[in-house]
Amino acid sequence: MNLGVDVGGTFVKLGIIDDDGKVVNRQKISTLTSEGSDAIIQSIIESIELLLINSGLNISDIKGIGIGFPGTTDQGNGMVVCAPNIFWENVEVVSRIKTHFGLPVHIGQDSRAAAWAEYLFGAGKGFDYIAGITLGTGLGCGMVFKGSIYNGGFNTAGEFGHQIVEVDGNRCNCGGKGCLEVYAGGPALLKSGLQIPDIEVLVGKLINEITVLDIFLLAKQGNPGALACTEKYVKYLGIGLVNLINLNSLELISISGGISNAPDELLFNPLVKFIKERAYPLASEKVKVVKSTLGDDAPLIGASMLYLSNK
Ligand SMILES: [Zn+2]
């Protein structure tokens, strides 16, 4: 058995995962972001112990522990370099958990763990060059090349959301300007959707309850303002994906995340059409763009299997 942990800004998910990538038991706790990194690490340790007890397992039944973080990790030194969502900077994590349990501990970025899971057990099974993209508030991206997670020289590979798509564009949270995330992140689509006249009446919700999926559903009903918003979103996302495919000669891209649940005719189908029309010809003919088969469990499953990646 393997143990996976997926640390998010709101929740920490933990799971016992068998060698076939199946989650056999799971647990979810709140992320104690305001209490600092020590408290979060301690709560992870306690939750692992509880999960083992609840699963009727001993620590000796577990091969290793893998943890995915929402940020940049330094696998070699066992540190989380920077994870803004949980306010971590240069936090040593591997040694502390390893010392406690006496097991191998591996860490990685959550979106890379998700891509790793898709490669091993999901949509990417059987392909050598894949990317997993998560559509949400931000744009997560992990790449797996020839049986290894690709981390890059500075552990910053796959910063898909921070490719520049507008040279003099709007400010991004990363400090840059005109990043893809500014145009194809959930907040960008929501912001433009909320400017549709009478949006509250059209959706039947208060302004602060309206979600990105509401904008998609309104577009599905043929509302021209909503259609303009979703089309713009798809165009920018398409530019980002075409760049990713052209640079890396990817065989498959797996798409996950909350926004991937939007109606196919408004998101997935036009996105694939854009890619087929605009990517470099040799790649555009062959690249497969598919929905994730593991969904929200991908980061958890992938984290538990981080020990299988060569780096
Ligand atoms: Zn950026």
Side-chain angles (χ1 to χ4, degrees), residues 17 35 48-50 85 91 114 123 126 138 157 162 186 188 205 215 233 284:
I17 289 107
E35 294 179 34
I48 289 174
E49 287 174 337
L50 192 63
N85 289 354
V91 176
H162 301 287
K205 283 185 182 176
I215 308 299
Y233 175 83
S284 73

Side-chain angles (χ1 to χ4, degrees), residues 162 172 174 179:
H162 301 287
C172 177
C174 75
C179 295

Side-chain angles (χ1 to χ4, degrees), residues 245-266:
I245 292 162
N246 288 359
L247 281 170
N248 297 298
S249 194
L250 296 167
E251 294 170 336
L252 178 134
I253 293 180
S254 142
I255 312 260
S256 65
I259 300 178
S260 69
N261 297 318
D264 282 353
E265 63 266 41
L266 289 170

Side-chain angles (χ1 to χ4, degrees), residues 161-163 171-182:
H162 301 287
Q163 56 180 301
R171 277 279 165 212
C172 177
N173 287 336
C174 75
K177 269 203 301 191
C179 295
L180 178 64
E181 202 163 286
V182 177

Side-chain angles (χ1 to χ4, degrees), residues 11 18 25 40 90 152-153 159 164 178 193 197 213 231 254 258 261 281 296:
F11 294 109
D18 71 15
N25 202 0
I40 296 179
N90 295 320
E159 287 298 346
I164 297 171
L213 289 180
E231 281 168 5
S254 142
N261 297 318
D296 292 345

Side-chain angles (χ1 to χ4, degrees), residues 14 20 36 45 59 79 91 123 140 153 171-172 187 192 194 224 242 250 274:
L14 302 100
D20 297 322
I45 289 173
I59 194 71
M79 288 177 69
V91 176
R171 277 279 165 212
C172 177
S192 59
L194 294 180
V242 164
L250 296 167
F274 184 92

